[in-house]
């Protein structure tokens, strides 16, 4: 048998693969597109099936790392919510549940189109594949736009993390609070007016409305739960927001921000795949990239499905 | 003055180092608390076990290397046939180590529970860690002290906290240690069994002078602790003016960052600053008068002399008006 | 492996370095920067890791020199704190975690498997580029204000100190991705690219070790990623996760940090186990004893490693119950580790022992790792740990296992596979001398530190009580001895690249697949997948030493 080192070898391509002796395709000068037994088969794989299986295992492992990456934040969320439930109740009134729900729907639709795109790629349905990828990207952009409006709203209202937390409105002045707990909102308004009057001096206090009867459950309980009155409030003897209320918004921005970065990453990937789909690269033998991107996208969707109730739907 | 001279002077101004007490043991400091015995027994047991295994493994290795050493590669010797797996043997040398570690675990667990369960009647002393000084607060004594004093044969519970970053209160001769965490209280207890003077170290890295955050515990003979406490309370109460300031300069940890001889340390030196016009960070000049000194103690971040970092902790709640007056008098006296 | 008469890919006796191989196949810097060849990526990793090791070692020498006297010797407090921090951060993140898997593993593992490359060559290249980017960030902090938090970045010190924590932490964050991608790649490679006949239980133990390590890399590293990100965000935006003045919990950082960093130490040591497991049978000319037990014990250690992080936090204020659980499980890890050591020793029983440099390092490993591992037991005992935590005892323990374990094994593997990777033999005499310096230096540097620690000397101390000085001076002497050993090694290894004897395909007489191709291997590894019909340590009796080439060839059926 001839020795390996004295074989004549064709000139190497950019990227340094060279061509193994038995293959013949020299047309694929694209970096990384294999020179094996067919187009898009990398040289170190023997069959398309092997290549696909390897990619599939690879993307699942990657998704596992993403889950662990987010799990740190979910852990922080759990610890803080367990220790300071009132902060979370207080803060969720500031979030727009409708916008959150809209985003959830948008992402679910995009997951549908992504899954459908995989099928299109497998059946070489180029037109439908392009359509579905475009819808997926459009949904992703919609998500980011809604997110932008939510963030802008929060910036405007002073709801920022850490020491920058200076809400412009009291929570009982919000529509979301007033609709849910009208009696408590009124009662809180009155308490805060009395507190202001007390700060001004006894003459003004005389003119402040009196509390003539025992406050009811409906008046007190929502305020206690949101840490506005009682031991967790910044003013234990009066009415104010709960201590360390900014922690919620720190967690909110961190988790949704990190998620948003992953959505943007997904947009970039889908855009690249769109380009390749237009070039007609995908078919029954080679549809791995669409499959893997769809899997990644499902995870991004899943993370949001957890984030939405945890942040927006707190009772 | 040159920088090396100022460094030497800084060292000359360092507080006295605690002395490492002589120990009858090679590996350990003196054993001066009731819980030290568990630690030392387990340590010695593990030491001998480790020596045994290390020697056994080394000897086996050495023996194999000499007895079975190849003559040369060219000789092409073939190894004798031996079994390549033996489940019985694998189980044996899994179970024997298991049997060794279980009592170690149990001993350690028992010792740990003892270390962390203070007796009900323990007397309490507060310890506060700050960069870079330990301050101990005694019942009845208004100002904290920089040395730990305890009576012999009496359970003492230390209630520990930190004001800035994590520190750790470590008393090697008592074999005990506990982190001082900002924002919460931790505790540890001990019962000293020998009269003497033992070092205290900070055992959690906390910045520039972590290794200088030293103190020591003075274990008094019976009656000695009460005498010391009474004397110290009397002195603290009776001291006024400059004398009070001098005492607080050491005891409250000012000396860690402010010198009295002109050498700049983490903070400006006190020598000659009273009455000066100083430029603050941000440019505005301020006169170093009584008001500025009081503000620096209560709200140190408000105005910082240009060129220095905002490193000073607040002394709000730690200094009485009498204390503040004393410090101001002392600073005034340092022309 | 394949029976002697069909080892068709064994190179002709007189292979010279002018023959085409992966090193010579493509020319030019760009062909290296954009290579997709796992061997070239491994070589780039190797030299990068060695450069980082030299830098980290230099900082270590500064630290030890400063510790010659109780007060100031050559640098001030702040510089000292920065030196030990950078020494630790560079060694952990740039050297030992990537070390054996990314450097040796990349060059050798696909060859051992019989594969043409790793599963995702582009991802592999990305891993290396990320290492470079991460290293740049980490080293950039050096020119800004350095870092002085200790490699453990404990809050609130790390979120409030004025040193350049963010670039260093961000560098570590990026290095985490480099590590994840390497691990991901290795797992898929071993699952999907084994040739016919290469069952899991025919893989060399080096592959088993890399597989277990890869599992840890993939599962644990994301957690340090998010932790560092949280710390950076806390530091820049002050959002109050760990800062007690803003409602945060500083001990939470420790939980997050050690949840990764404990499994990380297994990322550091398990590949070392793999190297030893490959060297000992070859240099004893005998099949490894208890192959299956060694292979499975790597997985057991990887798994248990996730459950013990709290043993770094016995004195942090953690509950007694939590501490008890962590202590108990920590003891369990001792068992599979002990099994390995005993199995390796038994392999040597009635073997034919060749004491070349790789074997000297393997034997050194056995001694030094035993001490390191046993001293871990001291720290697992809860009450004793209260005394020893944050003292020099801990420093000695982890240097024995990391330096004495991981680095010694790395050196052994480096010498073992050097002829394969570069086609040259190094000077064996110098190799043995250097090994002697390294072994002696190791013990003289770190054994006195056990005594310092149990006597109460805390770690990370710039000044110390004068009574501790003699032991410190002894330790520093050892450090310089170590430096001599490593410098000598660098000298003769680099020298061999130009002046070393040409290496045969199989200088050591091993039977794993990487020795069946030329030294250095061709760029495509194997023409076609090699036939795998026996285990990785079978068939030493079928190889004979050929003095003409200085290596082993298959035993001929008929006499010459």
């Amino acid at each position: 048998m001839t020795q390996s080192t004295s074989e004549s070898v064709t000139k190497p391509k950019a990227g340094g693969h060279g061509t193994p002796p038995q293959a013949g395709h020299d047309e694929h000068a694209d970096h990384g597109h294999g020179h094996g037994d067919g187009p898009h088969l990398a040289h170190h794989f023997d069959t398309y099936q092997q290549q696909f299986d390897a990619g599939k295992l690879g993307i699942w492992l990657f998704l596992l790392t993403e889950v662990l990456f987010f799990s740190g934040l979910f852990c922080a969320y759990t610890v803080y919510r367990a220790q300071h439930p009132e902060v979370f109740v207080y803060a969720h009134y500031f979030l727009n549940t409708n916008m959150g729900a809209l985003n959830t729907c948008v992402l679910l639709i995009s997951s549908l189109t992504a899954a459908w795109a995989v099928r299109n790629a497998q059946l070489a349905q180029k037109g439908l594949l392009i359509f579905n990828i475009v819808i997926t990207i459009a949904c992703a952009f919609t998500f980011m736009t809604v997110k932008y409006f939510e963030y802008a709203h929060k910036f405007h209202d002073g709801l920022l993390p850490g020491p920058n937390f200076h809400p412009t409105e009291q929570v009982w002045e919000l529509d979301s609070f007033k609709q849910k707990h009208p009696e408590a909102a009124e009662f809180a308004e009155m308490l805060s007016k009395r507190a202001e009057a007390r700060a001004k001096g006894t003459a003004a206090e005389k003119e402040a409305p009196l509390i003539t009867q025992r406050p009811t459950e409906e008046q007190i309980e929502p305020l206690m739960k949101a840490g506005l009155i009682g031991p967790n409030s910044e003013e234990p003897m009066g009415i104010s927001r709960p201590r360390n209320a900014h922690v919620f918004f720190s967690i909110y921005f961190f988790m949704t921000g990190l998620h948003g970065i992953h959505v943007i990453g997904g947009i970039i990937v889908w855009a690249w795949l769109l380009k390749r789909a237009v070039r007609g690269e995908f078919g029954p033998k080679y549809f791995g990239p669409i499959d893997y991107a769809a899997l990644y996208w499902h995870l991004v969707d899943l993370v949001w499905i957890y984030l939405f109730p945890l942040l927006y739907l707190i009772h | 003055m040159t920088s090396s001279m100022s460094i030497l002077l800084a060292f000359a101004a360092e507080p006295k180092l605690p002395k490492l007490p002589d120990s009858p043991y090679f590996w350990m400091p003196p054993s001066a608390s009731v819980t030290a015995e568990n630690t030392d027994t387990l340590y010695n047991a593990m030491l001998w076990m480790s020596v045994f295994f290390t020697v056994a493994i080394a000897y086996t290795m050495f023996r194999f290397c000499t007895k079975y050493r190849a003559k040369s590669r060219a000789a092409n010797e073939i190894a004798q046939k031996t079994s390549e797996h033996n489940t019985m043997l694998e189980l044996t040398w899994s179970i024997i180590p298991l049997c060794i570690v279980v009592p170690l675990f149990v001993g350690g667990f028992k010792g740990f529970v003892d270390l962390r369960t203070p007796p009900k009647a323990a007397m309490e002393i507060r310890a506060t860690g700050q960069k870079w000084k330990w301050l101990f607060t005694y019942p009845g004594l208004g100002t904290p002290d920089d040395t730990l004093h305890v009576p012999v044969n009496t359970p003492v519970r230390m209630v520990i906290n930190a004001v800035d970053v994590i520190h750790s209160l470590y008393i090697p001769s008592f074999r005990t240690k506990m982190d001082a965490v900002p924002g919460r209280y931790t505790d540890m207890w001990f019962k000293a069994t020998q009269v003497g003077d033992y070092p205290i170290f900070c055992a959690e890295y906390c910045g520039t002078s972590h290794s200088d955050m030293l103190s020591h515990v003075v274990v008094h003979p019976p009656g000695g602790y009460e005498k010391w406490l009474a004397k110290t309370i009397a002195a603290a109460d009776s001291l006024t003016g400059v004398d009070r300031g001098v005492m607080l300069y050491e005891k409250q940890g000012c000396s860690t960052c402010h010198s009295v001889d002109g050498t700049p340390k983490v903070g400006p030196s006190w020598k000659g600053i009273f009455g000066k016009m100083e430029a603050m960070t941000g440019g505005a000049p301020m006169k170093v008068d009584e008001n500025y000194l009081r503000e620096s103690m209560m709200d140190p971040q408000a105005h910082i002399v240009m060129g220095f970092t905002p490193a000073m902790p607040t002394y709000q709640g730690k200094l009485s008006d009498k204390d503040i007056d004393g410090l101001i008098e002392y600073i005034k006296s340092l022309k | 492996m394949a029976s002697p008469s069909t080892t068709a890919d064994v190179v002709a006796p007189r292979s010279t370095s002018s023959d085409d191989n992966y090193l010579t196949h493509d020319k030019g810097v760009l062909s290296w920067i954009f290579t997709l060849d796992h061997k070239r990526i491994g070589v780039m990793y190797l030299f990068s890791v060695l450069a980082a090791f030299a830098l980290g070692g230099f900082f270590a020498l500064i630290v030890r020199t400063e510790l010659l006297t109780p007060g100031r010797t050559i640098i001030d407090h702040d510089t000292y704190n920065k030196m030990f921090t950078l020494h630790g951060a560079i060694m952990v993140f740039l050297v030992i975690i990537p070390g054996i898997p990314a450097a040796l593993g990349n060059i050798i593992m696909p060859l051992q498997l019989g594969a043409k490359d790793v599963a995702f060559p582009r991802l592999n290249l990305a891993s290396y580029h990320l290492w470079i980017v991460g290293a740049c960030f980490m080293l950039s902090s050096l020119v800004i204000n350095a870092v002085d938090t200790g490699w453990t970045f404990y809050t609130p010190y790390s979120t409030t100190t004025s040193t350049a924590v963010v670039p260093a932490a961000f560098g570590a964050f990026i290095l985490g991705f480099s590590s994840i991608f390497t691990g991901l790649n290795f797992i898929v490679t071993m699952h999907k690219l084994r040739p016919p006949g290469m069952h899991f239980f025919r893989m060399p133990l080096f592959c088993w070790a890399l597989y277990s390590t890869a599992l840890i890399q993939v599962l644990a590293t994301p957690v340090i990623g998010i932790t560092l990100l949280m710390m950076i965000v806390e530091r820049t935006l002050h959002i109050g996760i760990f800062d007690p003045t803003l409602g945060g919990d500083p001990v939470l950082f420790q939980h997050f940090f050690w949840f990764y960093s404990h499994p990380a130490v297994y990322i550091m040591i398990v590949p070392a186990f793999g190297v030893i497991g490959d060297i000992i049978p070859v240099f004893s000319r005998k099949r490894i004893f208890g192959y299956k037990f060694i292979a499975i014990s790597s997985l057991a250690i990887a798994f248990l490693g996730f459950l013990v992080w709290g043993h770094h936090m016995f004195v942090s204020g953690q509950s007694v119950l939590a501490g008890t659980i962590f202590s108990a499980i920590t003891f369990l890890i001792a068992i599979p580790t002990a099994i390995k050591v005993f199995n390796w020793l038994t392999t040597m029983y009635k073997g034919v022992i060749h004491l070349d440099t790789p074997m000297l390092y393997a034997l050194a490993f056995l001694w030094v790792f035993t001490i390191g591992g046993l001293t871990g037991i001291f720290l697992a005992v809860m009450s004793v740990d209260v005394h020893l935590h944050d003292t020099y005892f801990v420093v000695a323990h982890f240097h024995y296992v990391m330096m004495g374990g991981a680095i010694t094994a790395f050196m052994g593997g480096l010498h073992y596979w050097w002829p394969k990777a570069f086609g040259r033999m190094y000077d064996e005499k110098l190799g043995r001398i250097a090994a002697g310096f390294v072994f002696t230096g190791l013990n003289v540097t770190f054994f006195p530190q056990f005594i310092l620690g149990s006597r109460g000397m805390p770690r990370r101390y710039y000044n110390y009580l004068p009574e501790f000085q003699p032991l410190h001076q002894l330790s520093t002497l050892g450090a310089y001895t170590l430096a001599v050993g490593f410098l000598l090694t660098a000298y003769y290894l680099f020298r061999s690249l130009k002046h070393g004897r040409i290496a045969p395909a199989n200088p050591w007489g091993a039977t794993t697949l990487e020795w069946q191709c030329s030294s250095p291997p061709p760029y495509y590894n194997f023409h076609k997948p090699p036939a795998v019909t026996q285990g990785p340590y079978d068939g030493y009796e079928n190889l004979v030493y050929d003095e003409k080439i200085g290596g082993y060839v298959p035993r001929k059926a008929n006499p010459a």
Side-chain angles (χ1 to χ4, degrees), chain B residues 7 11 17-20 26-29 38-39 42-43 46-47 49-50 53-54 57-58 61 64-65 68-70 72-74 76-80 82-87 89-90 93-94 97-98 101 104-105 107-109 111-113 115-116 131 164-166 170 172 175-179 181-184 201-212, chain C residues 77-78 81 84 148-149 154-157 244 250 254 283 285-290 293 314-317 320 324 327-328 331 335 339 341-343 345-346 348-356 363 366-367 370-371 374 377-378 381-384 386-391 393 447 451 454-456 458-463 465 467-468 508 541 544-545 547 552 555:
Chain B
I7 288 158
F11 268 96
L17 296 174
K19 184 180 165 344
L20 204 63
F26 176 79
W27 291 90
M28 289 287 184
N38 168 283
T39 304
L42 286 169
Y43 187 90
M46 285 190 285
L47 184 59
M49 177 206 55
S50 304
F53 274 104
T54 310
I57 288 174
M61 216 164 63
F64 287 173
C65 286
Y68 304 117
R69 181 143 184 213
S72 69
R73 287 202 181 268
N76 281 314
E77 301 146 82
I78 297 178
Q80 301 170 55
T82 57
S83 75
E84 277 123 19
H85 67 96
N86 185 333
T87 312
L89 197 53
E90 303 272 17
W93 61 44
S94 304
L98 199 61
V101 299
L104 289 173
F105 164 70
F109 168 71
F112 189 77
V113 171
L115 270 169
R116 296 311 190 209
K131 292 190 216 167
D164 39 28
V165 296
I166 302 183
Y170 178 34
R175 312 286 190 273
T176 187
K177 174 190 290 129
M178 177 54 95
D179 280 3
V181 183
R184 61 180 278 197
F201 299 114
C202 172
E204 185 60 57
Y205 175 71
C206 51
T208 308
S209 295
H210 165 59
S211 55
D212 298 325
Chain C
H77 289 77
D78 285 320
N81 293 337
F84 77 67
D148 72 337
T149 58
Y154 272 19
T155 56
Y157 187 78
Q254 295 180 36
F283 289 82
R285 317 299 302 145
K286 209 164 152 279
R287 217 203 242 160
I288 193 95
F289 182 87
F293 271 88
F314 287 140
V315 301
S316 66
V320 174
T324 309
S327 169
F331 282 108
I335 310 301
I339 289 178
V341 173
F342 296 140
N343 277 323
L345 268 181
T346 311
M348 292 167 63
Y349 176 63
K350 292 194 175 164
V352 174
I353 314 237
H354 296 275
L355 293 175
D356 302 283
L363 295 174
L366 285 179
W367 162 270
T370 297
I371 295 180
L374 287 171
I377 304 271
F378 285 73
V381 176
M382 297 157 79
S383 56
V384 177
V386 171
H387 176 62
L388 297 175
H389 174 76
D390 256 325
T391 64
F393 193 94
F447 201 85
I451 308 174
S454 63
R455 285 184 184 175
R459 62 184 285 203
R460 296 174 167 167
Y461 261 37
Y462 169 72
N463 289 329
L465 296 182
E467 294 89 344
F468 289 127
W508 315 117
E541 61 277 6
V544 286
Y545 190 69
E547 295 208 54
Y552 284 77
R555 188 189 289 275

Side-chain angles (χ1 to χ4, degrees), chain B residues 236-310:
Chain B
D237 281 342
S238 66
L239 282 177
T240 53
V242 178
D243 293 328
R244 192 173 189 82
V246 171
M247 185 245 327
L248 289 168
Y249 169 71
E250 276 301 328
K251 296 292 180 188
Q252 280 286 8
C254 318
S255 58
T256 313
C257 299
H258 298 278
S259 76
V260 291
D261 60 2
T263 323
K265 290 165 87 175
V266 181
S269 176
W270 288 356
K271 187 179 164 75
I273 53 161
F274 191 82
K276 258 172 80 175
M277 284 298 279
E278 281 278 22
M280 300 292 142
T281 310
M286 266 186 100
K287 186 156 186 213
V288 177
D289 59 5
E290 287 88 342
N291 285 318
Y292 174 72
L293 289 176
R294 174 179 274 265
E295 182 196 64
S296 297
M297 290 179 230
M298 297 295 112
D299 185 8
Q301 316 296 324
H303 295 99
I304 299 170
V305 175
M306 184 127 49
F308 291 93
T309 53

Side-chain angles (χ1 to χ4, degrees), chain C residues 402-455:
Chain C
M402 289 209 267
M403 178 65 141
I407 295 293
T408 305
F410 184 78
M411 294 285 274
L414 188 61
H415 286 77
Y416 178 52
W417 281 305
W418 186 268
K420 175 57 55 185
F422 300 108
R424 300 281 183 161
M425 303 300 290
Y426 48 82
D427 185 328
E428 178 61 29
K429 196 148 53 137
L430 288 180
R432 290 176 180 179
I433 294 174
F437 271 101
V438 169
F439 178 73
T440 311
L442 254 175
N443 285 291
V444 174
T445 310
F446 298 114
F447 201 85
Q449 294 183 4
F450 284 124
I451 308 174
L452 279 171
S454 63
R455 285 184 184 175

Side-chain angles (χ1 to χ4, degrees), chain C residues 23-177:
Chain C
L23 290 169
T24 58
H25 185 72
D26 257 322
K27 299 273 195 288
V29 173
L30 288 179
S31 77
W32 280 86
I33 297 180
F34 293 111
T35 184
L36 294 182
D37 181 351
H38 67 95
K39 301 180 290 299
R40 283 193 168 197
I41 293 175
V43 167
M44 289 194 291
Y45 258 118
L46 179 64
F47 288 110
S48 306
V49 163
L50 289 176
F53 183 62
L55 184 62
F58 173 66
F59 289 146
L61 282 179
I62 295 184
V63 167
R64 284 274 20 125
T65 307
E66 169 57 38
L67 291 172
L68 275 172
T69 72
R72 179 197 161 108
T73 316
I74 50 169
I75 48 176
D76 67 7
H77 289 77
D78 285 320
T79 310
Y80 176 83
N81 293 337
K82 292 172 186 176
M83 289 288 108
F84 77 67
T85 301
L86 284 161
H87 162 72
I90 290 174
M91 288 304 200
V92 168
F93 294 114
L94 286 176
V95 180
I96 310 195
I97 286 180
I100 298 178
L104 297 176
N106 258 318
I107 301 176
I108 297 297
M109 186 268 285
L111 289 170
Q112 279 197 337
L113 219 50
K116 282 212 164 104
D117 208 309
V118 290
F120 307 118
R122 277 173 293 179
L123 194 65
N124 208 7
L125 184 67
S127 269
Y128 177 67
H129 288 163
L130 284 174
W131 188 98
I132 295 288
V133 172
C136 287
F137 269 103
M138 198 173 263
L139 296 176
S140 75
S141 77
L142 261 174
V143 302
I144 302 172
N145 196 8
V147 204
D148 72 337
T149 58
W151 82 275
T152 47
F153 292 117
Y154 272 19
T155 56
Y157 187 78
S158 59
T159 46
T160 53
T161 180
S162 59
T163 54
V165 174
V166 173
F170 193 66
F173 177 76
I174 296 186
L175 287 162
F177 282 100

Side-chain angles (χ1 to χ4, degrees), chain C residues 48 72 84 100 119 122 191 276 290 297 307 312 401-402 474 480 518:
Chain C
S48 306
R72 179 197 161 108
F84 77 67
I100 298 178
R122 277 173 293 179
H191 272 287
I276 303 301
S297 67
L307 305 177
H312 299 269
V401 281
M402 289 209 267
L474 187 57
Y480 279 98
S518 58

Side-chain angles (χ1 to χ4, degrees), chain B residues 160-163 165-167 179-186, chain C residues 249-251 316-317:
Chain B
I160 307 168
N161 86 316
V163 302
V165 296
I166 302 183
H167 301 273
D179 280 3
V181 183
R184 61 180 278 197
Y185 291 99
T186 51
Chain C
D249 181 358
V251 181
S316 66

